[in-house]
Amino acid sequence: MTVVKPIKVVGLRDFQAALKDLDGESQKLLRVTLNEVAETVAAGARRRMPSKTGRARASVKTASSQREVRVREGSKKTPYVPWLDFGGRVGPNRSVSRPFIAGGRYLYPTLAANYDTIARQLDEGLTALARKAGFEVT
């Protein structure tokens, strides 16, 4: 089982509030920066995922707020995607089986494989945003 620690940026709430005080545009750029980093994971998961119609791959998307970003998979049209990723038993009388893998096959392994790259992208993106907004970065 692959265990991946979430990446936590200390002081992100204060940074976001300071950007808001400066101007609204810098605050929007924070969300863009977070989405760009999350797209690295989403794109990798899409590449790993099998595809018959492309719906499962298309369901892997990023979702964000000002301080948080997520990569999600599956939708109302593709409720089977978590089953593809993690496995288990589904269908009438739980008759369709796929070996269960606690760490998943696509999303979490992509995050684990690219963890250092993602952390570096996040560091570089937030540093560039802070400098552009006029903050001194040490």
Side-chain angles (χ1 to χ4, degrees), residues 7-20 27-35 63-70 122 126:
I7 297 172
K8 184 171 181 162
V9 179
V10 178
L12 187 58
R13 180 175 299 232
D14 295 333
F15 181 54
Q16 185 260 336
L19 288 174
K20 186 177 180 181
Q27 186 181 11
K28 291 176 189 173
L29 290 174
L30 175 61
R31 187 173 186 167
V32 170
T33 301
L34 295 176
N35 279 334
S64 64
S65 66
Q66 290 295 328
R67 288 186 293 267
E68 196 172 272
V69 66
R70 293 182 182 92
L122 188 58
L126 292 176

